[in-house]
Each structure stands twice: as structure tokens, then as C-alpha cells.
Amino acid sequence: MLDRLIGDYLVEQGMLTKMQLKEAYKRQEAGRAKLGVIAVAEKLMSIAQAEQCNALQASMDKLFGDIAIEKGYLSETQVSRLLELQGNTYLAFLQSVVDLGFLTMEQLEIAEDDYQRKNGFTESDMAALKTGDVEQAVPVFLHTGDPTVRKMLAMGIKNMYRLVDNHVYIGKTYTSSAIKDEVLGYQTFHGQQNGAVAISGKYEDVRKLAIAYTKEEFIETREDALDASCELINCINGLYATEESKQDVRIDLDPPNFSVSFAEATGEEMVVMPIYVCGGEVKYIIAASKDISIG
């Protein structure tokens, strides 16, 4: 997730063009981060130490990790850990940007620090984002301590990542009593928990989500796109209800519904999370223990 967040930030700051970012993502998909980049990103080595090991590796028949251990820069345990991190998407992204010559590792370090400071993230927040684990990343963007909302949002984003787009990323949540968008799909539920879940946004963005979820390229009507988004909501809510049933909490899901013409969702303290998925942006709306009214 952090690869997408930092990628957008680099474009916003004018450090990368959109075309360069697209090229870096393409290269990222095909490669893995080098140990030196990982060691610097994890703050286990300085840039100078990593460059020295890289230079020595070019003239020696030894692995980077073995050289770093011999120089006393890393322990065997640390090298083992770094090898595990080679599949990390964020580190692979950094490696791609460096390999393509767009930015240096030092520039990326500075950009990461600026991004962290401007968003008010702690070191723990950044560590969670760097893991690439969606469930660890979601709490970083939550403003609410409501455990039900936290569980519902985590369930939603985790399954969008699993079922729709494995490069989904999110923005900070906010509360609202009214959301009006071009299209909106929703589902209410009752029982020992009452509430609602909705997805709203511009039609073209919801259509992108629907195509990715159904794997059908020819979704051409608003009704088809919203029907697919409601199927996704129903799937997510079904998984949530199943998890809650393990704690003897009964939840009954109502049939999902949608509006294709600028409907407004209203409710007391609805929690809204922006989701960037399939090249578009939608809103994921939760009203826990409350109903959403559509009008």
C-alpha cells in the first residue's frame, strides 16, 4: 500500500511524472528489491555503507549479505530478515525508481520523511504501512476508536484487496451526516448489530471496480455496475456476519440496493473512507449500530 501512497506523493511534489511512476510500477512487478536498498530503508545501514558493499560486490565473488557481515554492518540474523523482506512491494518500488535513474535513494529517504511528517504518521504507523499487510495498514488511517467500525472497515479493505485490486490503497477516514454522489450501492443489516455499508462515487470509478470484481469487461450500464458493487458489498458483509457469528452475534443482512442518479446517503456520524482502487476513487461508508437513509 505504501508504494501507491508514496508514488502519488512523489507525483504531487513534482519529483516524478505520471509516466515515470507508471514505468516504475511496471518494473516493480517484475523485480525484487536488492538487500542494500532494503537495509537502508530499514535503517540498518547508511547509504554510504550500502554503496561500499555494492562496490565490493562488483569485484568479489561474494553476496551482498556476506560482505555486510564481514564489514560488521549487519549480523547474520539481520541478513536473514532482509532476505525475507525482498518480496516487500514498497521496497521493490523504491528499487525500481532507483534502477530507472528517476531518483536516488537519498532523495527517496527525504521524500519518505516529508510524507511521514506532513501526514502526522508515527514510526509505528510507517512500519505498519511498509509491511504491505492490509490489516496492519487500515488502523493507521482510522480516526475512530469504535471497535465495530474498525472491524468492518478492515474486513472491507482486506476483501477489496483480495477480490478486486491487490494495489488498493486508502485515505484517512472522516465522519459525515450526508454523502451525495453520482451513484451509490448499499446494504443494511439488523439483528444484534444494526447498521449499513455503502459504496459511492462517480459512475466511471464504480464501473472500474465492478469490472475488476466481476472480471467482465463489458459492463456498460449503471445498473450493471451498481449491481456488481452491491454483490461485492453483500460478499464483504456476509464474511463479516460469519466472523461475528463465531462470537455468538447474530446479524441479518437485508437485500442490497442501489441508486444510479445522485442519491444522498444520510445518517448519524457515518464513517467515510476514501478508497483508491483500479485507477479510480470510491467512498466506503459505514454506519455501525445506525441506519443509512437513502433519498
Side-chain angles (χ1 to χ4, degrees):
M1 186 176 294
L2 188 56
D3 58 332
R4 263 47 188 178
L5 293 165
I6 289 291
D8 276 2
Y9 181 75
L10 293 172
V11 171
E12 289 171 6
Q13 298 301 305
M15 298 177 71
L16 288 181
T17 65
K18 289 184 178 180
M19 187 62 68
Q20 287 175 324
L21 181 62
K22 185 176 180 180
E23 189 175 349
Y25 285 148
K26 185 177 180 180
R27 187 182 183 96
Q28 172 196 4
E29 292 297 311
R32 297 195 307 167
K34 295 177 181 177
L35 285 193
V37 171
I38 303 174
V40 171
E42 292 294 302
K43 304 189 187 309
L44 296 176
M45 293 177 67
S46 67
I47 293 173
Q49 289 171 338
E51 289 176 345
Q52 181 189 26
C53 290
N54 283 329
L56 289 171
Q57 191 178 14
S59 60
M60 301 169 64
D61 186 22
K62 289 187 177 181
L63 298 173
F64 180 96
D66 292 336
I67 295 171
I69 291 171
E70 288 181 4
K71 300 293 291 184
Y73 298 149
L74 296 173
S75 68
E76 290 185 8
T77 300
Q78 288 172 325
V79 169
S80 296
R81 173 60 179 155
L82 294 176
L83 287 169
E84 291 175 1
L85 291 172
Q86 273 196 312
N88 183 284
T89 55
Y90 176 59
L91 299 174
F93 169 67
L94 297 183
Q95 182 69 59
S96 298
V97 173
V98 172
D99 284 349
L100 289 166
F102 296 152
L103 295 168
T104 66
M105 193 63 207
E106 187 172 10
Q107 288 173 310
L108 289 169
E109 272 197 312
I110 293 170
E112 182 186 302
D113 290 342
D114 288 343
Y115 172 80
Q116 177 180 349
R117 184 176 64 256
K118 288 178 180 178
N119 285 278
F121 292 145
T122 66
E123 289 293 333
S124 295
D125 291 337
M126 293 299 288
L129 293 176
K130 288 179 181 180
T131 64
D133 186 318
V134 174
E135 290 192 82
Q136 290 190 54
V138 168
V140 174
F141 294 88
L142 299 183
H143 79 286
T144 177
D146 186 323
T148 300
V149 171
R150 294 172 75 91
K151 283 193 290 185
M152 292 176 69
L153 283 171
M155 180 66 74
I157 306 308
K158 179 175 66 175
N159 283 285
M160 285 195 190
Y161 180 91
R162 183 174 67 89
L163 300 171
V164 182
D165 179 8
N166 63 4
H167 292 303
V168 65
Y169 61 105
I170 57 183
K172 289 188 176 181
T173 59
Y174 58 93
T175 57
S176 178
S177 59
I179 296 290
K180 188 172 185 178
D181 267 322
E182 188 175 352
V183 294
L184 183 147
Y186 64 98
Q187 183 175 46
T188 56
F189 54 87
H190 301 283
Q192 289 174 274
Q193 284 186 20
N194 300 318
V197 175
I199 293 175
S200 73
K202 295 179 181 177
Y203 164 63
E204 282 302 325
D205 289 342
V206 173
R207 179 173 175 270
K208 290 174 184 176
L209 179 149
I211 290 172
Y213 175 58
T214 61
K215 309 298 187 291
E216 295 178 8
E217 290 292 335
F218 301 104
I219 292 181
E220 297 180 349
T221 70
R222 293 186 174 217
E223 288 77 9
D224 287 345
L226 268 294
D227 186 58
S229 70
C230 283
E231 284 183 23
L232 176 61
I233 293 170
N234 186 60
C235 175
I236 292 170
N237 285 342
L239 292 170
Y240 174 72
T242 299
E243 284 298 308
E244 290 298 285
S245 70
K246 295 176 183 177
Q247 307 299 320
D248 295 323
V249 176
R250 182 180 59 81
I251 297 175
D252 298 318
L253 302 179
D254 299 323
N257 207 340
F258 59 80
S259 172
V260 296
S261 56
F262 291 94
E264 184 176 41
T266 57
E268 184 183 347
E269 291 189 359
M270 295 183 297
V271 177
V272 184
M273 174 172 276
I275 301 179
Y276 304 91
V277 56
C278 304
E281 177 185 352
V282 299
K283 297 182 182 74
Y284 194 64
I285 305 165
I286 302 285
S289 301
K290 306 172 183 69
D291 282 333
I292 291 178
S293 298
I294 308 298

